[in-house]
Amino acid sequence: MTRHIRHAAFFCAVLLVALLVNAARIQVFEAPSYDDNIANRRTTISRFGQPRGDILVDGAPVTGSRDTREPLRYERTYTNGPMYAPVTGFASQVYGTTLLEHTEDGVLSGTDPLLSPFPLWNGSARDRYPSGDVVTTLRGAAQRAAYEGLAGRKGAVAAVEPATGRVLALVSAPSYDPSVLSGNRSAVARSWATLNRDPDKPMLNRAVRKTYPPGSTFKVLTAAAALDSGVIEDLDKPTDSPDPYTLPGTRTSLTNESKGCKDVPLRKAFEFSCNTVFAKLGVKVGVDRMARTAEAFGFNDADLKIPYSVAESTFDTKVDKAQLALSSIGQYNTRATPLQMAMVAAAVANGGQVRSPYLVERTTRAGGSTVSTGGSRPARQAMRPSTAVLLKELMVDVVREGTGSNAWIPGATVGGKTGTAQHGLGNSGTPYAWFVSWAKGDTDLEPKVAVAVVVEDADADRGEISGGGDAAPIARAVMEAVLNSPSQDAR
């Protein structure tokens, strides 16, 4: 009898071990597959079971959470949603997350193990903790100035702090309200379909995800390459440039919108934006040196993130001389995001150094303690400091005496460059109006802001004046907002 009891006890022990092994297999080794199973709603219910952390601008939240009392309890809300949509993106119970809502989802949703005082233990246990917040580098006044300046017209604005790379404003228009995608009602699906059908593409982040031909604003880079390479040594020496200029190896003549461009010095060519002068300079500098200069400013970099990805701005390195001439005036295959062109203006303002832009100052726990910091990244020398000094002169002349006069700010030094970029079949489309600039208050030790503005549906006639007439006033409003607001370091 005792033997049978021992056998039964042994068999029960084996069953118990098998149960424990199976439980360990399911709960530890196969847990990820169950977590990711579409039929498992527990993860989703847990994800929306507590308020989501906030995205902050000037220390105040521009996001929130609404208690629906439903199984997916909390849904996202947005303050001034259309104005901040190119920064926040959306957090949808149906369509997921985008932009900062996506890249900082771990902090905002409470799953980042760094939110816990015991990150290794809690990370392995897959627990959820009180959600953290994301503190942005934005200036609310600059963001509003950019948004109201575009006034719904297609276009974008990017503003950065030259010395650090902080993104101070990032606006795309037309925009949309991310809150219409927050919940899981039938209206959310209808809003999604409407937004995706809209020919104006309101969910496209034109500031960082769309590239444009930069037109004459690219002449800043061409001038930098010419000065750095020694092709130009004196801003006031004639450039021996014909008008019109026959593109090398072709019978095609390149002309100017302005008169009096023949053989003018670089100073006047920059002020009048003479295509012929800069096309010839680009050819003389050569494709290798032009490409190196463009890449030093940030072109052909597919890895730029702020922290979400930025579309690659491109300068074609395999072109003949005629194509190089057009590339050197911001046409042919040359393409740039507004953020990239803000980086160009910032490099001029910052003594030739480019700081990689960043949008997140720091992330914090619910109590306010810091989880991680962004901070300025290492600088890259785009041109010699002496070249940057000369380019500052040229850009100031454009605002004081040339086509950028609409960007002038009393009590400040402002440098700028207007531009138009032709596009469409046979260049038949309305030219994009560009303006890139930087500003320094008279009491400031260094420039405080660099801005790039592009307006797709500019009203002015073809020519350089559209950049000065449509884009420059928007840039001025953004620069004034930054100059008149306290610095980020002072908060």
Side-chain angles (χ1 to χ4, degrees):
M1 186 67 177
T2 303
R3 182 169 60 87
H4 294 300
I5 293 174
R6 286 200 304 269
H7 287 172
F10 178 75
F11 182 67
C12 289
V14 170
L15 289 178
L16 180 60
V17 170
L19 285 172
L20 292 174
V21 169
N22 189 55
R25 177 182 63 84
I26 293 173
Q27 294 185 15
V28 177
F29 298 103
E30 295 187 7
S33 65
Y34 286 101
D35 287 341
D36 296 336
N37 192 305
I38 193 170
N40 181 11
R41 285 176 54 83
R42 286 178 176 158
T43 301
T44 304
I45 291 171
S46 174
R47 175 179 176 81
F48 298 106
Q50 69 178 19
R52 191 169 172 82
D54 285 320
I55 296 172
L56 308 182
V57 175
D58 293 336
V62 296
T63 58
S65 296
R66 184 173 72 89
D67 190 349
T68 66
R69 304 294 180 181
E70 296 177 355
L72 302 185
R73 185 167 177 178
Y74 289 95
E75 66 180 44
R76 199 58 151 161
T77 62
Y78 295 88
T79 303
N80 295 318
M83 186 167 78
Y84 289 108
V87 175
T88 63
F90 61 76
S92 171
Q93 294 177 353
V94 179
Y95 300 107
T97 54
T98 58
L99 304 184
L100 279 188
E101 293 276 28
H102 180 72
T103 58
E104 303 300 330
D105 182 66
V107 170
L108 295 170
S109 65
T111 59
D112 190 327
L114 293 178
L115 292 172
S116 165
F118 307 104
L120 293 179
W121 167 259
N122 290 301
S124 65
R126 300 187 304 279
D127 289 331
R128 191 175 297 271
Y129 303 94
S131 303
D133 295 331
V134 174
V135 180
T136 71
T137 60
L138 293 180
R139 303 278 185 88
Q143 186 79 1
R144 181 170 295 279
Y147 183 74
E148 294 179 349
L150 283 172
R153 291 179 294 174
K154 284 184 190 176
V157 180
V160 300
E161 187 175 66
T164 63
R166 289 183 176 118
V167 177
L168 305 179
L170 206 64
V171 168
S172 175
S175 190
Y176 71 105
D177 187 352
S179 64
V180 301
L181 302 175
S182 293
N184 55 24
R185 302 171 302 280
S186 59
V188 171
R190 291 195 298 270
S191 297
W192 176 262
T194 299
L195 288 169
N196 280 285
R197 283 197 307 264
D198 192 328
D200 289 337
K201 298 182 179 179
M203 289 198 294
L204 172 62
N205 191 340
R206 290 172 164 84
V208 298
R209 295 280 174 84
K210 182 173 181 178
T211 59
Y212 300 83
S216 293
T217 59
F218 192 82
K219 292 170 184 174
V220 175
L221 284 85
T222 304
L227 289 164
D228 266 359
S229 64
V231 170
I232 294 290
E233 296 180 344
D234 186 344
L235 297 182
D236 298 301
K237 182 180 178 180
T239 54
D240 189 27
S241 302
D243 184 10
Y245 171 61
T246 302
L247 297 178
T250 75
R251 296 180 180 179
T252 303
S253 293
L254 183 65
T255 58
N256 299 291
E257 294 290 340
S258 302
K259 297 187 181 298
C261 285
K262 183 177 181 179
D263 200 28
V264 294
L266 183 63
R267 187 185 301 277
K268 288 301 179 184
F270 196 87
E271 183 181 328
F272 297 156
S273 202
C274 297
N275 289 332
T276 52
V277 174
F278 284 91
K280 184 181 177 182
L281 281 178
V283 172
K284 194 168 182 180
V285 169
V287 66
D288 290 340
R289 188 61 187 255
M290 282 293 299
R292 284 200 301 273
T293 299
E295 289 170 359
F297 276 94
F299 282 74
N300 298 339
D301 180 3
D303 298 323
L304 180 62
K305 292 179 174 60
I306 63 169
Y308 49 81
S309 61
V310 177
E312 181 181 2
S313 298
T314 56
F315 182 85
D316 198 335
T317 61
K318 297 179 180 179
V319 290
D320 59 29
K321 289 185 177 181
Q323 294 163 341
L324 176 60
L326 295 175
S327 297
S328 300
I329 59 172
Q331 295 290 161
Y332 190 57
N333 285 342
T334 306
R335 309 279 297 189
T337 62
L339 180 61
Q340 173 61 64
M341 294 313 296
M343 291 167 60
V344 170
V348 175
N350 195 38
Q353 289 189 331
V354 178
R355 292 281 185 181
S356 294
Y358 67 99
L359 187 53
V360 175
E361 193 69 55
R362 63 185 179 276
T363 57
T364 66
R365 297 182 180 89
S369 60
T370 298
V371 175
S372 63
T373 58
S376 184
R377 302 171 191 177
R380 180 176 63 249
Q381 197 72 36
M383 57 187 153
R384 295 199 304 253
S386 58
T387 296
V389 170
L390 296 177
L391 278 174
K392 272 188 176 181
E393 284 185 34
L394 297 179
M395 294 182 76
V396 169
D397 287 346
V398 169
V399 174
R400 285 180 177 170
E401 304 172 9
T403 55
S405 59
N406 282 335
W408 180 73
I409 300 173
T413 301
V414 180
K417 181 70 185 81
T418 56
T420 56
Q422 297 176 348
H423 66 102
L425 185 62
N427 292 328
S428 59
T430 301
Y432 299 138
W434 275 95
F435 191 72
V436 300
S437 58
W438 52 267
K440 169 185 170 295
D442 285 349
T443 59
D444 294 328
L445 297 177
E446 58 188 13
K448 295 298 183 184
V449 57
V451 183
V453 179
V454 62
V455 180
E456 293 187 26
D457 47 0
D459 297 324
D461 295 333
R462 298 170 75 90
E464 286 299 315
I465 192 62
S466 64
D470 289 276
I474 301 171
R476 180 189 64 224
V478 174
M479 291 186 291
E480 283 182 314
V482 174
L483 294 177
N484 293 332
S485 64
S487 70
Q488 196 85 6
D489 295 326
R491 297 183 207 173

